[in-house]
Amino acid sequence: MIILLLGVYLTANYFANRLKPIIKAELKDLVLNATDSLYSVEFSDLSLNLLTKGASLTDVKFIPDTNVFKRLIALKRAPNNVYYIRLKTLSIKNFHPKNLFKFKKLNVELLLFDNPDVVMVNTQFDFNENKPSYLQKSPYDYISKYLQELRVNEISFRNVKFKYINNNGKVPEIDSVDKLNVNLKGWLIDKESDKDPTRLYALQNVMINLNDYSYATPDSLYHVNWEHFNFSSASGKLNITNFKVTPRLSEMNFAKTAGYSKERYQISMRKIDLEGINFPLYIKKRELYATQMNVMDGALDVFNNNELPARKKIRNGKYPHQLLQQLKGAITVKLLSLANVDISYAEYDRDSKEKGTITFKRTSGTITNITNVEKIKAKGPYLFAKLTTYIMGEGKLDVNFRFDLDAKDGAFSYSGALGNMDGRVLNEVTMPLGMVQVKRGMAKKLSFDIKANDQKAKGSLQFAYNDLSVALLKRDKEEDKLVRQVWMSLLANAMVINSDNPGKDGVFINAPINYQRTETASFFSFIWRTLFVGIKYSVGVTPKKEEEIYRKIQKFEQIKIDRDKRRSLKEKRRRSNDGR
C-alpha cells in the first residue's frame, strides 16, 4: 500500500513538472491578454501539486507597463487606477485540473495573496466619467483563447501594506495603511458575466477589514484610531467601532505648542455605520456617497485656553458648512442620524483662572444633505440639522440649524426652545466665564431665532424665568479662589437684575440680538456668546445698565482706595505720636 501511494505521488509530481513550463508560459500570456497588455506577471518559481489541487508562485510581481498605459490614455481606454503588487508567495487552493484540461474551465476555491505590498495610483480621466461600473469590453475576449470560464470563489489579500497615491493635483498626495485585509468574492469571467450590472470588475463583493488601526495626524497633535473597520460592497455598508480622536497633549499644554489660544478636540464614538455606499463611484472618482450615516454613543469635547493670547489670524471660513465645502474629496451623506452623543465646550478664563464648561448631554437628532457636490447642491443648497439635547444634563433643548451651502459669507440660521431648568446648574459655566453665580432662579422657557454669518448675528431671544438672584464674583489673589462681592451683589440684585420675567407688572422683556463676532472666535464660541448676550439682556443687564454698573464699580473702587489711604495716613500719624 505504501509503495502504491508513493507511486501515485511520484507520478502526479512527474506530470506536474512536465506541465509547469506550459502553465508558466500560458499564465504570463493570460495576464497580458486579460489586462490589454497593461500588466505583466513575474515570479521565480511555480509549485504545482495535482494531488492536493494546489499551486503556488514565489517572488511574485504584478507590474504595469508605463508605455502601454500611455497608449491606453491616448486611446481613452486607460483605467483610473494602476496597481503595483509585490509578494513573497501567491497560493492557489483547491483548483480542478480535470475541468481545466477537459472543459477549459479554471475553477479555484481560493487565491491567497499573503503579506502583499500594494501601491495604487489614482488619476481621474474625463473619458471615464460616464462609464458604467461593469466592464465596457468583455474580458472574456481576452481569455477565450485559453479558457471558457475563469472562476475564483475567493481572492484574499491578507495583512496588506497599502499605499494610495492621489495623482490629480499639482503635487501627489500619499496615504498608507498596514495590516489591511481585503476579500474579493465571486470573481467570474465567462460569456455572460460582463453583462451583470451587479458585478464590479467581475466581482460579486469586495470586503475590507482593518482592525486596531492607529494614525498620527501630520501636525502631530492627534492620534486617530479605531478597534474594528468592516466594509462590504455588496451590502453597501461600512461599520466602525470604538472610533477615537485623541489629543497628544493635555488641555493646558495643547495650545502652548502653538503659542496662542487654539481649540483642542477630543472625539470618542462607540459605533459609526454608513449605509447605501456607492462603491463603484468611490473606485472611479474617489467620491464618497452614502444614503445614511448613524453615529451612536459618543462624546465630542472642545477646550480652549483663553489665558493665552488670541490668534491674530482671522478665522473666517471655519464654520461647519464652510469646512465641508473646502474638503478636497467629494462627499455626500443624505442623512446623518445621531443618538446619545455628549457634547461639551469648555474655556479656561484668564481672569477667573478657572475652567468653565457647558455640556449638551444625550444629544440625538438628524442632519440632512451633507454634501459638497455641485450637482447635488443644485437640487437643494441647504444643510439642515434638527437636534434634541439636555443642557448640563437637565434642561431639554430642541434646536434647528439651516446652513447655506452656497453662501460666501457662511450664512446660517438657528432657532430653538429650552424647557424648565434650575438656573443653578449653569454655575459651572457662568462662574468661571462670567464671574456670576446663580444663587437661585427657575427657567420656565427660553426660545431664540437667529440669523448669522461669519461677521454678525441678528435675531431675538425670549427668556421666561422667576425668582432670580445672583452673586457677583472676583478673584481673591491671596486665597487664590473666587469670592463674592457682597455689596456689589446686593446692588446688582436690587437695582439691575430683574428677578422675574415677565415682571410683577406683567411686562415681558424680549431680548433683541445684534452681536458682532470677534474674527478670531470659533463657531462654538460664537454660538454660545450670541445666546449669552440675549440672556443678559433678558435679566436686565442691558448695554445701558452695563455702563451704569461699570461707573458704580469704578466709584466703589475709588471709595475703597480713598478709605485705604485715610487708614494709612491715620496709621502713620499714630506711629508718629507713639514715637515722641
Side-chain angles (χ1 to χ4, degrees), residues 308-433:
L308 297 170
R311 190 179 185 183
K312 294 181 180 180
K313 184 178 179 181
I314 295 174
R315 296 183 65 186
N316 293 339
K318 302 298 182 181
Y319 290 176
H321 57 312
Q322 292 175 313
L323 294 174
L324 175 65
Q325 303 311 309
Q326 294 166 19
L327 287 177
K328 294 180 180 179
I331 182 171
T332 297
V333 178
K334 299 301 292 180
L335 172 66
L336 168 59
S337 176
L338 294 176
N340 195 32
V341 177
D342 294 340
I343 302 170
S344 74
Y345 178 77
E347 289 184 5
Y348 182 83
D349 189 76
R350 65 171 64 91
D351 296 322
S352 69
K353 304 297 182 185
E354 293 187 8
K355 182 175 78 169
T357 306
I358 183 168
T359 59
F360 303 89
K361 297 286 188 179
R362 306 189 301 279
T363 304
S364 299
T366 58
I367 303 174
T368 56
N369 201 34
I370 304 170
T371 186
N372 59 3
V373 179
E374 291 300 327
K375 63 181 180 181
I376 295 178
K377 285 197 297 178
K379 298 177 182 179
Y382 294 102
L383 184 156
F384 296 94
K386 185 177 182 180
L387 305 172
T388 295
T389 189
Y390 293 83
I391 294 182
M392 300 303 194
E394 299 289 339
K396 182 184 177 184
L397 172 65
D398 295 306
V399 61
N400 298 310
F401 286 88
R402 189 181 82 160
F403 297 94
D404 188 338
L405 296 174
D406 287 329
K408 302 299 183 183
D409 62 353
F412 71 102
S413 62
Y414 57 106
S415 61
L418 171 69
N420 287 346
M421 185 177 71
D422 189 332
R424 290 174 294 182
V425 302
L426 294 173
N427 282 330
E428 191 175 341
V429 63
T430 62
M431 289 174 65
L433 302 185

Side-chain angles (χ1 to χ4, degrees), residues 463-475:
F463 183 24
Y465 61 89
N466 66 278
D467 197 27
L468 178 63
S469 177
V470 302
L472 304 184
L473 309 175
K474 67 176 181 179
R475 187 82 188 174

Side-chain angles (χ1 to χ4, degrees), residues 374-544:
E374 291 300 327
K375 63 181 180 181
I376 295 178
K377 285 197 297 178
K379 298 177 182 179
Y382 294 102
L383 184 156
F384 296 94
K386 185 177 182 180
L387 305 172
T388 295
T389 189
Y390 293 83
I391 294 182
M392 300 303 194
E394 299 289 339
K396 182 184 177 184
L397 172 65
D398 295 306
V399 61
N400 298 310
F401 286 88
R402 189 181 82 160
F403 297 94
D404 188 338
L405 296 174
D406 287 329
K408 302 299 183 183
D409 62 353
F412 71 102
S413 62
Y414 57 106
S415 61
L418 171 69
N420 287 346
M421 185 177 71
D422 189 332
R424 290 174 294 182
V425 302
L426 294 173
N427 282 330
E428 191 175 341
V429 63
T430 62
M431 289 174 65
L433 302 185
M435 306 284 272
V436 175
Q437 179 187 23
V438 180
K439 294 172 63 179
R440 64 178 184 272
M442 285 297 299
K444 296 300 182 181
K445 184 177 181 181
L446 185 149
S447 60
F448 51 89
D449 189 354
I450 298 169
K451 292 180 172 60
N453 54 33
D454 55 15
Q455 297 297 319
K456 60 185 178 181
K458 295 186 70 174
S460 62
L461 181 144
Q462 296 80 39
F463 183 24
Y465 61 89
N466 66 278
D467 197 27
L468 178 63
S469 177
V470 302
L472 304 184
L473 309 175
K474 67 176 181 179
R475 187 82 188 174
D476 189 305
K477 295 182 180 179
E478 293 182 1
E479 297 187 23
D480 194 27
K481 65 178 183 179
L482 293 178
V483 297
R484 290 185 185 179
Q485 300 184 68
V486 179
W487 290 107
M488 291 304 301
S489 298
L490 289 172
L491 178 65
N493 286 303
M495 300 182 61
V496 179
I497 302 298
N498 301 317
S499 60
D500 301 279
N501 190 25
K504 294 179 180 180
D505 56 4
V507 176
F508 186 85
I509 298 175
N510 287 291
I513 293 175
N514 191 354
Y515 181 71
Q516 190 72 29
R517 171 179 166 268
T518 303
E519 291 188 316
T520 56
S522 69
F523 178 76
F524 285 104
S525 179
F526 182 41
I527 294 289
W528 156 245
R529 294 189 181 280
T530 298
L531 295 177
F532 190 58
V533 166
I535 292 171
K536 285 200 306 179
Y537 192 102
S538 296
V539 301
V541 186
T542 63
K544 183 178 179 180

Side-chain angles (χ1 to χ4, degrees), residues 163-429:
K163 180 185 290 186
Y164 171 77
I165 301 175
N166 186 336
N167 223 16
N168 298 294
K170 294 181 180 179
V171 179
E173 296 180 5
I174 301 175
D175 292 317
S176 61
V177 66
D178 293 338
K179 299 180 181 178
L180 179 68
N181 296 300
V182 180
N183 281 346
L184 310 177
K185 297 282 191 176
W187 190 46
L188 173 64
I189 298 177
D190 63 11
K191 289 183 179 179
E192 303 297 328
S193 63
D194 65 305
K195 300 179 180 65
D196 186 351
T198 65
R199 291 181 179 272
L200 176 67
Y201 300 129
L203 293 164
Q204 288 182 323
N205 195 7
V206 177
M207 303 172 68
I208 300 173
N209 171 263
L210 180 59
N211 295 333
D212 300 319
Y213 174 74
S214 183
Y215 166 73
T217 56
D219 58 11
S220 299
L221 292 176
Y222 295 94
H223 279 298
V224 179
N225 64 300
W226 59 69
E227 186 175 334
H228 298 293
F229 177 106
N230 294 291
F231 169 74
S232 167
S233 66
S235 66
K237 292 183 177 181
L238 168 64
N239 308 111
I240 303 173
T241 58
N242 294 328
F243 174 84
K244 294 181 180 179
V245 177
T246 307
R248 302 181 70 180
L249 298 171
S250 66
E251 287 183 339
M252 296 306 292
N253 289 329
F254 183 84
K256 290 179 180 178
T257 59
Y260 54 84
S261 180
K262 180 181 178 70
E263 288 181 341
R264 174 186 184 269
Y265 295 86
Q266 186 161 340
I267 303 172
S268 177
M269 300 295 168
R270 184 183 66 84
K271 193 174 182 182
I272 301 174
D273 296 332
L274 280 90
E275 301 176 7
I277 296 174
N278 188 332
F279 189 60
L281 180 64
Y282 184 78
I283 291 295
K284 286 171 58 181
K285 299 176 61 179
R286 293 286 287 182
E287 179 178 331
L288 176 60
Y289 179 95
T291 57
Q292 184 166 339
M293 180 176 181
N294 303 305
V295 178
M296 290 160 276
D297 304 330
L300 166 62
D301 301 316
V302 185
F303 175 79
N304 200 5
N305 184 359
N306 282 333
E307 187 179 37
L308 297 170
R311 190 179 185 183
K312 294 181 180 180
K313 184 178 179 181
I314 295 174
R315 296 183 65 186
N316 293 339
K318 302 298 182 181
Y319 290 176
H321 57 312
Q322 292 175 313
L323 294 174
L324 175 65
Q325 303 311 309
Q326 294 166 19
L327 287 177
K328 294 180 180 179
I331 182 171
T332 297
V333 178
K334 299 301 292 180
L335 172 66
L336 168 59
S337 176
L338 294 176
N340 195 32
V341 177
D342 294 340
I343 302 170
S344 74
Y345 178 77
E347 289 184 5
Y348 182 83
D349 189 76
R350 65 171 64 91
D351 296 322
S352 69
K353 304 297 182 185
E354 293 187 8
K355 182 175 78 169
T357 306
I358 183 168
T359 59
F360 303 89
K361 297 286 188 179
R362 306 189 301 279
T363 304
S364 299
T366 58
I367 303 174
T368 56
N369 201 34
I370 304 170
T371 186
N372 59 3
V373 179
E374 291 300 327
K375 63 181 180 181
I376 295 178
K377 285 197 297 178
K379 298 177 182 179
Y382 294 102
L383 184 156
F384 296 94
K386 185 177 182 180
L387 305 172
T388 295
T389 189
Y390 293 83
I391 294 182
M392 300 303 194
E394 299 289 339
K396 182 184 177 184
L397 172 65
D398 295 306
V399 61
N400 298 310
F401 286 88
R402 189 181 82 160
F403 297 94
D404 188 338
L405 296 174
D406 287 329
K408 302 299 183 183
D409 62 353
F412 71 102
S413 62
Y414 57 106
S415 61
L418 171 69
N420 287 346
M421 185 177 71
D422 189 332
R424 290 174 294 182
V425 302
L426 294 173
N427 282 330
E428 191 175 341
V429 63

